[in-house]
Amino acid sequence: MLQSDGRRSADTHLLHAEFPGLKGIAIYLKDESTHPTGSLKHRLARSLFIYAICNGKVGRGKTVVEASSGSTAVSEAYFARLLGLPFIAVMAKNTSPQKIASIEYYGGRCHLVARADEIYEAASAVARETNGYYLDQFTYAERATDWRGNNNIAESIFEQMSAEPYSIPTWIIMGAGTGGTAATLGRFVRYRGFRTKLCIADVEHSAFYEAFRTGNKETRCSEPSRIEGVGRPRVEPSFIPSVIDRMVKIPDAASIAAMRIISRRLSRPVGGSTGTNFFAACWIASEMIERGESGALATLICDSGDRYRNTYYCDNWLRDNKIDISPYVASIEEFLDSGNAGGLFDLESTSL
Ligand SMILES: Cc1ncc(COP(=O)(O)O)c(C=O)c1O
């Protein structure tokens, strides 16, 4: 059933965005929002189910449980319904109501806990109590995907770019939630011997950047991430620093400003983590321009902005959360139109 569903599916578009100020730099965004369940997690959910079934962990009638910030659970609820399996999503209570509604639409049940760092224990407990199976994306994302190929996201990007003026991207830029997409991208680049470098953009409240900088995998972040899908309280097992060339730390206000700008310029609403990706791509573009380099950058539209109408797109929500995006909006617009970055990218960055 999973294979038939896969055969009925199409690949996602690789959009080429043009900006007058970025001469010689081509920016591509792979639009993962167009999957049936609205995010890049559609790929992961399919892989996790195949991995669990092929490992003999999930069979007829088995309850399937997941810890999620929402997007993965939406996609898993879709596949659980396809397979006729009961599904329980364990998520923090501040998960967007649109994601909760989507999970319930596919027949999944939501088990909400107070804080993001409680989801792991709670998911294990729910799986024990229901004699179910905890899919555990944060552990298995990096290995459930066929990183060598099988039309994974990396292979698809390189294939779709093959007839472009710069057919091999100089950098690929991505955020990290599980770190699974980063692992697939980084491993594929090495496996195929491309000179492409991988930049991972972390958000304000997250353990990944500090762990990359110091090498300490025990790093914790006590405040929950405000950019849904990316940024974690702990360094997830699927986060593989050795395949990452560089990390940048993006302020939440910059992610949300960039999200709104790229939504306007592409005429399609994108989510907050796409803003994080796009801001980091602009940062790398500015450095290439400064050095007189040209080339291509590839990143992802992780999900659609429709899920965040009442948060990132709502000025009252920004005010309530004390996030002022206005200085970033003006500076990003100026950069995209003129190539002049000013001090916009005077932020934290670490290279291996
Ligand atoms: C909207 C969104 N963007 C980005 C990511 C990060 O992807 P990954 O888990 O592969 O690191 C996620 C993961 O949940 C997500 O939901």
Side-chain angles (χ1 to χ4, degrees):
M1 289 167 95
L2 289 168
Q3 282 164 353
S4 313
D5 182 79
R7 217 164 285 127
R8 292 194 299 271
S9 306
D11 201 355
T12 57
H13 280 68
L14 185 68
L15 308 177
H16 178 200
E18 294 189 75
F19 306 103
L22 309 191
K23 301 260 177 323
I25 310 290
I27 298 188
Y28 296 85
L29 297 107
K30 187 149 175 69
D31 189 0
E32 294 290 289
S33 73
T34 60
H35 286 292
T37 56
S39 83
L40 79 166
K41 295 298 170 172
H42 198 77
R43 293 176 192 271
L44 174 64
R46 178 189 282 125
S47 300
L48 285 167
F49 270 98
I50 290 174
Y51 189 73
I53 291 166
C54 294
N55 275 298
K57 303 290 189 188
V58 167
R60 216 177 285 279
K62 190 81 172 172
T63 296
V64 176
V65 182
E66 182 63 294
S68 175
S69 67
S71 304
T72 306
V74 173
S75 303
E76 288 169 341
Y78 167 94
F79 286 109
R81 187 176 78 168
L82 181 77
L83 298 167
L85 302 174
F87 177 69
I88 304 170
V90 179
M91 302 181 296
K93 68 173 187 315
N94 61 353
T95 305
S96 84
Q98 288 91 333
K99 289 182 187 171
I100 293 173
S102 297
I103 293 162
E104 289 173 349
Y105 169 79
Y106 290 121
R109 201 148 63 70
C110 297
H111 175 103
L112 302 179
V113 296
R115 292 157 39 117
D117 59 1
E118 292 170 10
I119 57 176
Y120 317 99
E121 272 300 308
S124 294
V126 170
R128 263 194 317 274
E129 285 155 19
T130 56
N131 192 28
Y133 181 70
Y134 173 23
L135 287 170
D136 193 358
Q137 58 164 332
F138 294 104
T139 300
Y140 296 113
E142 58 89 0
R143 70 195 81 160
T145 298
D146 291 343
W147 55 267
R148 293 178 190 82
N150 199 7
N151 198 34
N152 68 37
I153 193 157
E155 186 173 50
S156 173
I157 290 172
F158 280 91
E159 207 284 314
Q160 289 178 321
M161 286 193 63
S162 59
E164 296 303 301
Y166 304 105
S167 58
I168 306 292
T170 307
W171 285 88
I172 296 181
I173 300 106
M174 176 59 191
T178 61
T181 308
T184 300
L185 292 165
R187 285 168 172 162
F188 186 80
V189 162
R190 279 165 179 74
Y191 181 60
R192 295 284 289 268
F194 294 127
R195 61 176 190 278
T196 306
K197 299 234 176 291
L198 177 64
C199 174
I200 299 304
D202 203 13
V203 292
E204 230 169 280
H205 303 301
S206 176
F208 291 130
Y209 178 86
E210 193 57 13
F212 184 75
R213 194 180 68 76
T214 60
N216 179 8
K217 281 206 128 189
E218 299 309 313
T219 306
R220 294 279 185 278
C221 178
S222 55
E223 275 193 72
S225 171
R226 294 185 295 193
I227 306 297
E228 283 190 39
V230 288
R232 300 297 309 160
R234 66 176 200 187
V235 183
E236 301 299 346
S238 280
F239 178 73
I240 313 289
S242 51
V243 303
I244 299 169
D245 297 291
R246 176 180 183 183
M247 280 195 74
V248 292
K249 181 113 175 147
I250 309 293
D252 294 349
S255 292
I256 297 170
M259 173 204 82
R260 289 192 178 190
I261 289 169
I262 191 66
S263 295
R264 263 198 305 274
R265 295 205 180 207
L266 292 178
S267 191
R268 68 186 67 207
V270 304
S273 67
T274 304
T276 310
N277 292 348
F278 182 61
F279 187 84
C282 289
W283 185 344
I284 288 186
S286 81
E287 293 175 345
M288 289 174 68
I289 292 169
E290 216 170 276
R291 289 194 296 264
E293 292 171 14
S294 53
L297 306 177
T299 188
L300 268 64
I301 294 176
C302 298
D303 66 355
S304 158
D306 293 335
R307 290 177 170 173
Y308 311 103
R309 288 272 164 236
N310 302 326
T311 54
Y312 311 139
Y313 286 92
C314 171
D315 290 337
N316 288 341
W317 184 89
L318 289 183
R319 213 168 301 125
D320 292 348
N321 284 275
K322 300 188 174 47
I323 299 174
D324 179 13
I325 63 170
S326 48
Y328 285 109
V329 170
S331 306
I332 297 166
E333 299 275 23
E334 158 78 10
F335 171 67
L336 295 175
D337 289 335
S338 71
N340 176 14
L344 181 58
F345 304 114
D346 292 343
L347 297 163
E348 279 187 68
S349 157
T350 301
S351 297
L352 263 196

